[in-house]
Amino acid sequence: MNADKRMTPKRKKWFTRNDWTGYLFSAPLIIGVLAFAIYPMFAALFISFHQTSGLSLNGKWVGLSNYRYALEDPVFWQALTNTFLMGVLSVVLGIVLSFVLASLINNLKWNFGKNFFKAVYFLPNVVSAVATSLLFSFLFFPSKEGLLNFVLSWFGVHHPIGWFTNPEVSRYSIVLMSLWGALGYNTIIFLAGLQSVPRDLYEAAEVDGAGGYKKWLHITIPYLRPIFVFMLIMGTIGGMKRFTDVWLIGGTAGNPGGSLMTVVLYIYRNAFLASQMGLATAASYLLFIIILVLTAVMMLLNRRKDSLD
């Protein structure tokens, strides 16, 4: 009996001295997360059920009225439509173009050429959104003095295009601008993935008579599927939170004609211009639910694909 007691390991204490030391050093980070992430999240949820300007948590309880108003507001649906359109185009074109560029760079035999193109394509990623918007405002100037319209006039396009002033064109101009800024980062990620593909797979395919296109289609793309999924999820989240570029180009009204109004810009207007913090936080949680559902669907589809494989 005594021997059994001696062989039974002692139960570990909940907190040892080393644990307390670790928590002490982690305390600033934990406090920061609680104060600036967890608390605002629950405070916003509480405010979304009230009619308040946001100066305090006190306000008139309105229940789900803020959510109902947002869902019945045509401006919210217009903003959601614009956000989806610009987001889908930015994500799809960004992934395809960056993967093609990464494949071309990876096939270069000259190391200096690889490093040169990596630096060139990544350079726009370090430029701030404000500088990018100012640059494209000059490039996409709506008159003949605009650089792009001036170049297009050489090819017979004599009527200047209102890149940021025509509601039918402005959203696509924003997509082009965002592609220029994000293409380099995606290219570098894909390039790192391409360099990790085992050479044995390519050599085995060459023995079977596969050419460069078939190796790219049946080996490279399937092997990089996790990176495609990562790019798709992160691009979707970033696209649904679009704010800076449309605000700098179209202002708080999402001009021209509300074509650049996004959900986050809708939230900003109601929170800081209309002082309807309850409505703004309700729209924020609606956006959170949309992003959560989209992310969950993409992850489930990827998991289903893994199970089928």
PDB file of all heavy atoms in Angstrom, residues 172-202:
ATOM      1  N   TYR A 172     -14.146  49.647 -61.050  1.00  0.00           N
ATOM      2  CA  TYR A 172     -13.097  48.880 -61.713  1.00  0.00           C
ATOM      3  C   TYR A 172     -11.751  49.595 -61.618  1.00  0.00           C
ATOM      4  O   TYR A 172     -10.698  48.946 -61.576  1.00  0.00           O
ATOM      5  CB  TYR A 172     -13.490  48.641 -63.170  1.00  0.00           C
ATOM      6  CG  TYR A 172     -14.845  47.996 -63.312  1.00  0.00           C
ATOM      7  CD1 TYR A 172     -15.952  48.731 -63.722  1.00  0.00           C
ATOM      8  CD2 TYR A 172     -15.041  46.652 -63.007  1.00  0.00           C
ATOM      9  CE1 TYR A 172     -17.202  48.146 -63.830  1.00  0.00           C
ATOM     10  CE2 TYR A 172     -16.285  46.053 -63.113  1.00  0.00           C
ATOM     11  CZ  TYR A 172     -17.366  46.813 -63.522  1.00  0.00           C
ATOM     12  OH  TYR A 172     -18.611  46.225 -63.615  1.00  0.00           O
ATOM     13  N   SER A 173     -11.782  50.921 -61.572  1.00  0.00           N
ATOM     14  CA  SER A 173     -10.541  51.673 -61.376  1.00  0.00           C
ATOM     15  C   SER A 173      -9.961  51.415 -59.994  1.00  0.00           C
ATOM     16  O   SER A 173      -8.740  51.291 -59.835  1.00  0.00           O
ATOM     17  CB  SER A 173     -10.803  53.171 -61.570  1.00  0.00           C
ATOM     18  OG  SER A 173     -11.350  53.439 -62.844  1.00  0.00           O
ATOM     19  N   ILE A 174     -10.830  51.312 -58.996  1.00  0.00           N
ATOM     20  CA  ILE A 174     -10.374  50.985 -57.651  1.00  0.00           C
ATOM     21  C   ILE A 174      -9.753  49.597 -57.626  1.00  0.00           C
ATOM     22  O   ILE A 174      -8.734  49.356 -56.958  1.00  0.00           O
ATOM     23  CB  ILE A 174     -11.548  51.071 -56.659  1.00  0.00           C
ATOM     24  CG1 ILE A 174     -11.974  52.526 -56.453  1.00  0.00           C
ATOM     25  CG2 ILE A 174     -11.167  50.456 -55.311  1.00  0.00           C
ATOM     26  CD1 ILE A 174     -10.975  53.390 -55.718  1.00  0.00           C
ATOM     27  N   VAL A 175     -10.347  48.660 -58.366  1.00  0.00           N
ATOM     28  CA  VAL A 175      -9.799  47.301 -58.434  1.00  0.00           C
ATOM     29  C   VAL A 175      -8.401  47.321 -59.037  1.00  0.00           C
ATOM     30  O   VAL A 175      -7.478  46.663 -58.536  1.00  0.00           O
ATOM     31  CB  VAL A 175     -10.738  46.388 -59.241  1.00  0.00           C
ATOM     32  CG1 VAL A 175     -10.083  45.030 -59.492  1.00  0.00           C
ATOM     33  CG2 VAL A 175     -12.054  46.197 -58.502  1.00  0.00           C
ATOM     34  N   LEU A 176      -8.219  48.076 -60.123  1.00  0.00           N
ATOM     35  CA  LEU A 176      -6.893  48.181 -60.744  1.00  0.00           C
ATOM     36  C   LEU A 176      -5.885  48.775 -59.778  1.00  0.00           C
ATOM     37  O   LEU A 176      -4.732  48.326 -59.696  1.00  0.00           O
ATOM     38  CB  LEU A 176      -6.980  49.027 -62.017  1.00  0.00           C
ATOM     39  CG  LEU A 176      -7.750  48.419 -63.195  1.00  0.00           C
ATOM     40  CD1 LEU A 176      -7.833  49.419 -64.344  1.00  0.00           C
ATOM     41  CD2 LEU A 176      -7.080  47.130 -63.660  1.00  0.00           C
ATOM     42  N   MET A 177      -6.305  49.784 -59.040  1.00  0.00           N
ATOM     43  CA  MET A 177      -5.403  50.412 -58.075  1.00  0.00           C
ATOM     44  C   MET A 177      -5.024  49.445 -56.965  1.00  0.00           C
ATOM     45  O   MET A 177      -3.861  49.376 -56.549  1.00  0.00           O
ATOM     46  CB  MET A 177      -6.055  51.671 -57.491  1.00  0.00           C
ATOM     47  CG  MET A 177      -5.162  52.460 -56.550  1.00  0.00           C
ATOM     48  SD  MET A 177      -5.928  54.002 -55.997  1.00  0.00           S
ATOM     49  CE  MET A 177      -7.230  53.348 -54.941  1.00  0.00           C
ATOM     50  N   SER A 178      -5.981  48.676 -56.475  1.00  0.00           N
ATOM     51  CA  SER A 178      -5.687  47.723 -55.402  1.00  0.00           C
ATOM     52  C   SER A 178      -4.810  46.586 -55.895  1.00  0.00           C
ATOM     53  O   SER A 178      -3.975  46.064 -55.146  1.00  0.00           O
ATOM     54  CB  SER A 178      -6.995  47.173 -54.816  1.00  0.00           C
ATOM     55  OG  SER A 178      -7.718  46.436 -55.789  1.00  0.00           O
ATOM     56  N   LEU A 179      -4.985  46.184 -57.160  1.00  0.00           N
ATOM     57  CA  LEU A 179      -4.131  45.141 -57.725  1.00  0.00           C
ATOM     58  C   LEU A 179      -2.678  45.589 -57.749  1.00  0.00           C
ATOM     59  O   LEU A 179      -1.772  44.813 -57.442  1.00  0.00           O
ATOM     60  CB  LEU A 179      -4.591  44.787 -59.136  1.00  0.00           C
ATOM     61  CG  LEU A 179      -5.833  43.912 -59.269  1.00  0.00           C
ATOM     62  CD1 LEU A 179      -6.181  43.723 -60.741  1.00  0.00           C
ATOM     63  CD2 LEU A 179      -5.628  42.563 -58.598  1.00  0.00           C
ATOM     64  N   TRP A 180      -2.450  46.811 -58.132  1.00  0.00           N
ATOM     65  CA  TRP A 180      -1.083  47.336 -58.190  1.00  0.00           C
ATOM     66  C   TRP A 180      -0.428  47.299 -56.811  1.00  0.00           C
ATOM     67  O   TRP A 180       0.759  47.001 -56.687  1.00  0.00           O
ATOM     68  CB  TRP A 180      -1.098  48.758 -58.730  1.00  0.00           C
ATOM     69  CG  TRP A 180       0.263  49.368 -58.880  1.00  0.00           C
ATOM     70  CD1 TRP A 180       1.114  49.210 -59.924  1.00  0.00           C
ATOM     71  CD2 TRP A 180       0.918  50.225 -57.948  1.00  0.00           C
ATOM     72  NE1 TRP A 180       2.268  49.920 -59.708  1.00  0.00           N
ATOM     73  CE2 TRP A 180       2.181  50.551 -58.497  1.00  0.00           C
ATOM     74  CE3 TRP A 180       0.575  50.751 -56.697  1.00  0.00           C
ATOM     75  CZ2 TRP A 180       3.088  51.378 -57.849  1.00  0.00           C
ATOM     76  CZ3 TRP A 180       1.482  51.575 -56.049  1.00  0.00           C
ATOM     77  CH2 TRP A 180       2.717  51.883 -56.621  1.00  0.00           C
ATOM     78  N   GLY A 181      -1.213  47.560 -55.771  1.00  0.00           N
ATOM     79  CA  GLY A 181      -0.635  47.604 -54.440  1.00  0.00           C
ATOM     80  C   GLY A 181      -0.421  46.241 -53.809  1.00  0.00           C
ATOM     81  O   GLY A 181       0.511  46.060 -53.022  1.00  0.00           O
ATOM     82  N   ALA A 182      -1.288  45.274 -54.140  1.00  0.00           N
ATOM     83  CA  ALA A 182      -1.234  43.976 -53.456  1.00  0.00           C
ATOM     84  C   ALA A 182      -0.575  42.882 -54.280  1.00  0.00           C
ATOM     85  O   ALA A 182      -0.328  41.792 -53.754  1.00  0.00           O
ATOM     86  CB  ALA A 182      -2.648  43.530 -53.083  1.00  0.00           C
ATOM     87  N   LEU A 183      -0.277  43.148 -55.530  1.00  0.00           N
ATOM     88  CA  LEU A 183       0.244  42.102 -56.406  1.00  0.00           C
ATOM     89  C   LEU A 183       1.595  41.581 -55.930  1.00  0.00           C
ATOM     90  O   LEU A 183       1.865  40.378 -55.992  1.00  0.00           O
ATOM     91  CB  LEU A 183       0.353  42.634 -57.834  1.00  0.00           C
ATOM     92  CG  LEU A 183       0.473  41.592 -58.951  1.00  0.00           C
ATOM     93  CD1 LEU A 183      -0.768  40.725 -59.003  1.00  0.00           C
ATOM     94  CD2 LEU A 183       0.671  42.290 -60.293  1.00  0.00           C
ATOM     95  N   GLY A 184       2.443  42.474 -55.448  1.00  0.00           N
ATOM     96  CA  GLY A 184       3.785  42.062 -55.051  1.00  0.00           C
ATOM     97  C   GLY A 184       3.796  41.115 -53.873  1.00  0.00           C
ATOM     98  O   GLY A 184       4.539  40.121 -53.872  1.00  0.00           O
ATOM     99  N   TYR A 185       2.973  41.384 -52.868  1.00  0.00           N
ATOM    100  CA  TYR A 185       2.934  40.521 -51.687  1.00  0.00           C
ATOM    101  C   TYR A 185       2.477  39.116 -52.062  1.00  0.00           C
ATOM    102  O   TYR A 185       3.094  38.120 -51.664  1.00  0.00           O
ATOM    103  CB  TYR A 185       1.992  41.125 -50.642  1.00  0.00           C
ATOM    104  CG  TYR A 185       1.750  40.240 -49.448  1.00  0.00           C
ATOM    105  CD1 TYR A 185       2.683  40.161 -48.421  1.00  0.00           C
ATOM    106  CD2 TYR A 185       0.583  39.474 -49.343  1.00  0.00           C
ATOM    107  CE1 TYR A 185       2.473  39.351 -47.320  1.00  0.00           C
ATOM    108  CE2 TYR A 185       0.359  38.666 -48.255  1.00  0.00           C
ATOM    109  CZ  TYR A 185       1.304  38.608 -47.238  1.00  0.00           C
ATOM    110  OH  TYR A 185       1.083  37.792 -46.155  1.00  0.00           O
ATOM    111  N   ASN A 186       1.400  39.030 -52.844  1.00  0.00           N
ATOM    112  CA  ASN A 186       0.906  37.718 -53.259  1.00  0.00           C
ATOM    113  C   ASN A 186       1.933  36.984 -54.121  1.00  0.00           C
ATOM    114  O   ASN A 186       2.080  35.760 -54.022  1.00  0.00           O
ATOM    115  CB  ASN A 186      -0.401  37.879 -54.033  1.00  0.00           C
ATOM    116  CG  ASN A 186      -1.528  38.420 -53.178  1.00  0.00           C
ATOM    117  OD1 ASN A 186      -1.459  38.373 -51.945  1.00  0.00           O
ATOM    118  ND2 ASN A 186      -2.549  38.942 -53.812  1.00  0.00           N
ATOM    119  N   THR A 187       2.640  37.726 -54.962  1.00  0.00           N
ATOM    120  CA  THR A 187       3.650  37.102 -55.813  1.00  0.00           C
ATOM    121  C   THR A 187       4.770  36.492 -54.990  1.00  0.00           C
ATOM    122  O   THR A 187       5.239  35.380 -55.272  1.00  0.00           O
ATOM    123  CB  THR A 187       4.215  38.139 -56.801  1.00  0.00           C
ATOM    124  OG1 THR A 187       3.151  38.668 -57.600  1.00  0.00           O
ATOM    125  CG2 THR A 187       5.267  37.507 -57.708  1.00  0.00           C
ATOM    126  N   ILE A 188       5.211  37.200 -53.958  1.00  0.00           N
ATOM    127  CA  ILE A 188       6.283  36.686 -53.098  1.00  0.00           C
ATOM    128  C   ILE A 188       5.828  35.424 -52.361  1.00  0.00           C
ATOM    129  O   ILE A 188       6.591  34.445 -52.237  1.00  0.00           O
ATOM    130  CB  ILE A 188       6.725  37.764 -52.093  1.00  0.00           C
ATOM    131  CG1 ILE A 188       7.354  38.949 -52.825  1.00  0.00           C
ATOM    132  CG2 ILE A 188       7.708  37.191 -51.086  1.00  0.00           C
ATOM    133  CD1 ILE A 188       8.593  38.611 -53.618  1.00  0.00           C
ATOM    134  N   ILE A 189       4.586  35.403 -51.893  1.00  0.00           N
ATOM    135  CA  ILE A 189       4.067  34.219 -51.207  1.00  0.00           C
ATOM    136  C   ILE A 189       4.012  33.029 -52.161  1.00  0.00           C
ATOM    137  O   ILE A 189       4.431  31.905 -51.821  1.00  0.00           O
ATOM    138  CB  ILE A 189       2.682  34.499 -50.606  1.00  0.00           C
ATOM    139  CG1 ILE A 189       2.753  35.608 -49.550  1.00  0.00           C
ATOM    140  CG2 ILE A 189       2.096  33.226 -49.997  1.00  0.00           C
ATOM    141  CD1 ILE A 189       3.595  35.273 -48.354  1.00  0.00           C
ATOM    142  N   PHE A 190       3.494  33.246 -53.349  1.00  0.00           N
ATOM    143  CA  PHE A 190       3.440  32.163 -54.331  1.00  0.00           C
ATOM    144  C   PHE A 190       4.837  31.712 -54.742  1.00  0.00           C
ATOM    145  O   PHE A 190       5.077  30.513 -54.952  1.00  0.00           O
ATOM    146  CB  PHE A 190       2.667  32.609 -55.576  1.00  0.00           C
ATOM    147  CG  PHE A 190       1.182  32.434 -55.451  1.00  0.00           C
ATOM    148  CD1 PHE A 190       0.320  33.509 -55.610  1.00  0.00           C
ATOM    149  CD2 PHE A 190       0.635  31.188 -55.185  1.00  0.00           C
ATOM    150  CE1 PHE A 190      -1.046  33.347 -55.499  1.00  0.00           C
ATOM    151  CE2 PHE A 190      -0.738  31.022 -55.072  1.00  0.00           C
ATOM    152  CZ  PHE A 190      -1.578  32.100 -55.234  1.00  0.00           C
ATOM    153  N   LEU A 191       5.753  32.647 -54.851  1.00  0.00           N
ATOM    154  CA  LEU A 191       7.111  32.292 -55.244  1.00  0.00           C
ATOM    155  C   LEU A 191       7.764  31.403 -54.195  1.00  0.00           C
ATOM    156  O   LEU A 191       8.468  30.433 -54.529  1.00  0.00           O
ATOM    157  CB  LEU A 191       7.933  33.561 -55.458  1.00  0.00           C
ATOM    158  CG  LEU A 191       9.305  33.402 -56.113  1.00  0.00           C
ATOM    159  CD1 LEU A 191       9.174  32.745 -57.473  1.00  0.00           C
ATOM    160  CD2 LEU A 191       9.978  34.759 -56.243  1.00  0.00           C
ATOM    161  N   ALA A 192       7.518  31.707 -52.922  1.00  0.00           N
ATOM    162  CA  ALA A 192       8.043  30.845 -51.853  1.00  0.00           C
ATOM    163  C   ALA A 192       7.430  29.453 -51.930  1.00  0.00           C
ATOM    164  O   ALA A 192       8.117  28.444 -51.708  1.00  0.00           O
ATOM    165  CB  ALA A 192       7.764  31.480 -50.495  1.00  0.00           C
ATOM    166  N   GLY A 193       6.146  29.379 -52.251  1.00  0.00           N
ATOM    167  CA  GLY A 193       5.511  28.071 -52.392  1.00  0.00           C
ATOM    168  C   GLY A 193       6.025  27.294 -53.579  1.00  0.00           C
ATOM    169  O   GLY A 193       6.224  26.074 -53.506  1.00  0.00           O
ATOM    170  N   LEU A 194       6.265  27.980 -54.697  1.00  0.00           N
ATOM    171  CA  LEU A 194       6.790  27.310 -55.885  1.00  0.00           C
ATOM    172  C   LEU A 194       8.166  26.716 -55.641  1.00  0.00           C
ATOM    173  O   LEU A 194       8.494  25.634 -56.150  1.00  0.00           O
ATOM    174  CB  LEU A 194       6.851  28.301 -57.051  1.00  0.00           C
ATOM    175  CG  LEU A 194       5.510  28.716 -57.659  1.00  0.00           C
ATOM    176  CD1 LEU A 194       5.695  29.875 -58.620  1.00  0.00           C
ATOM    177  CD2 LEU A 194       4.855  27.542 -58.364  1.00  0.00           C
ATOM    178  N   GLN A 195       8.973  27.397 -54.861  1.00  0.00           N
ATOM    179  CA  GLN A 195      10.320  26.903 -54.583  1.00  0.00           C
ATOM    180  C   GLN A 195      10.322  25.735 -53.604  1.00  0.00           C
ATOM    181  O   GLN A 195      11.358  25.086 -53.434  1.00  0.00           O
ATOM    182  CB  GLN A 195      11.186  28.047 -54.054  1.00  0.00           C
ATOM    183  CG  GLN A 195      11.434  29.134 -55.090  1.00  0.00           C
ATOM    184  CD  GLN A 195      12.161  30.333 -54.528  1.00  0.00           C
ATOM    185  OE1 GLN A 195      12.371  30.444 -53.313  1.00  0.00           O
ATOM    186  NE2 GLN A 195      12.552  31.252 -55.395  1.00  0.00           N
ATOM    187  N   SER A 196       9.181  25.469 -52.981  1.00  0.00           N
ATOM    188  CA  SER A 196       9.092  24.348 -52.044  1.00  0.00           C
ATOM    189  C   SER A 196       8.538  23.077 -52.682  1.00  0.00           C
ATOM    190  O   SER A 196       8.475  22.031 -52.021  1.00  0.00           O
ATOM    191  CB  SER A 196       8.215  24.733 -50.851  1.00  0.00           C
ATOM    192  OG  SER A 196       6.863  24.908 -51.251  1.00  0.00           O
ATOM    193  N   VAL A 197       8.115  23.159 -53.944  1.00  0.00           N
ATOM    194  CA  VAL A 197       7.593  21.957 -54.620  1.00  0.00           C
ATOM    195  C   VAL A 197       8.748  20.985 -54.851  1.00  0.00           C
ATOM    196  O   VAL A 197       9.782  21.360 -55.406  1.00  0.00           O
ATOM    197  CB  VAL A 197       6.938  22.339 -55.962  1.00  0.00           C
ATOM    198  CG1 VAL A 197       6.419  21.083 -56.668  1.00  0.00           C
ATOM    199  CG2 VAL A 197       5.810  23.325 -55.748  1.00  0.00           C
ATOM    200  N   PRO A 198       8.623  19.729 -54.430  1.00  0.00           N
ATOM    201  CA  PRO A 198       9.722  18.757 -54.599  1.00  0.00           C
ATOM    202  C   PRO A 198      10.081  18.561 -56.070  1.00  0.00           C
ATOM    203  O   PRO A 198       9.209  18.381 -56.922  1.00  0.00           O
ATOM    204  CB  PRO A 198       9.156  17.465 -53.988  1.00  0.00           C
ATOM    205  CG  PRO A 198       8.065  17.914 -53.079  1.00  0.00           C
ATOM    206  CD  PRO A 198       7.486  19.146 -53.704  1.00  0.00           C
ATOM    207  N   ARG A 199      11.370  18.580 -56.359  1.00  0.00           N
ATOM    208  CA  ARG A 199      11.820  18.365 -57.729  1.00  0.00           C
ATOM    209  C   ARG A 199      11.542  16.947 -58.215  1.00  0.00           C
ATOM    210  O   ARG A 199      11.434  16.702 -59.414  1.00  0.00           O
ATOM    211  CB  ARG A 199      13.325  18.658 -57.821  1.00  0.00           C
ATOM    212  CG  ARG A 199      13.742  20.056 -57.381  1.00  0.00           C
ATOM    213  CD  ARG A 199      13.092  21.123 -58.217  1.00  0.00           C
ATOM    214  NE  ARG A 199      13.320  20.944 -59.642  1.00  0.00           N
ATOM    215  CZ  ARG A 199      12.779  21.692 -60.596  1.00  0.00           C
ATOM    216  NH1 ARG A 199      11.912  22.640 -60.250  1.00  0.00           N
ATOM    217  NH2 ARG A 199      13.048  21.480 -61.873  1.00  0.00           N
ATOM    218  N   ASP A 200      11.421  16.012 -57.267  1.00  0.00           N
ATOM    219  CA  ASP A 200      11.164  14.620 -57.657  1.00  0.00           C
ATOM    220  C   ASP A 200       9.856  14.482 -58.430  1.00  0.00           C
ATOM    221  O   ASP A 200       9.750  13.643 -59.341  1.00  0.00           O
ATOM    222  CB  ASP A 200      11.126  13.717 -56.420  1.00  0.00           C
ATOM    223  CG  ASP A 200      12.450  13.688 -55.674  1.00  0.00           C
ATOM    224  OD1 ASP A 200      13.460  14.087 -56.302  1.00  0.00           O
ATOM    225  OD2 ASP A 200      12.477  13.291 -54.498  1.00  0.00           O
ATOM    226  N   LEU A 201       8.867  15.292 -58.060  1.00  0.00           N
ATOM    227  CA  LEU A 201       7.580  15.214 -58.753  1.00  0.00           C
ATOM    228  C   LEU A 201       7.724  15.628 -60.214  1.00  0.00           C
ATOM    229  O   LEU A 201       7.162  14.995 -61.120  1.00  0.00           O
ATOM    230  CB  LEU A 201       6.554  16.099 -58.043  1.00  0.00           C
ATOM    231  CG  LEU A 201       6.208  15.722 -56.595  1.00  0.00           C
ATOM    232  CD1 LEU A 201       5.224  16.730 -56.015  1.00  0.00           C
ATOM    233  CD2 LEU A 201       5.618  14.314 -56.533  1.00  0.00           C
ATOM    234  N   TYR A 202       8.477  16.695 -60.452  1.00  0.00           N
ATOM    235  CA  TYR A 202       8.682  17.136 -61.820  1.00  0.00           C
ATOM    236  C   TYR A 202       9.492  16.116 -62.621  1.00  0.00           C
ATOM    237  O   TYR A 202       9.200  15.860 -63.800  1.00  0.00           O
ATOM    238  CB  TYR A 202       9.394  18.489 -61.842  1.00  0.00           C
ATOM    239  CG  TYR A 202       8.575  19.622 -61.287  1.00  0.00           C
ATOM    240  CD1 TYR A 202       9.033  20.393 -60.230  1.00  0.00           C
ATOM    241  CD2 TYR A 202       7.334  19.947 -61.843  1.00  0.00           C
ATOM    242  CE1 TYR A 202       8.289  21.447 -59.724  1.00  0.00           C
ATOM    243  CE2 TYR A 202       6.583  20.993 -61.348  1.00  0.00           C
ATOM    244  CZ  TYR A 202       7.064  21.744 -60.286  1.00  0.00           C
ATOM    245  OH  TYR A 202       6.315  22.777 -59.799  1.00  0.00           O
TER     246      TYR A 202
END
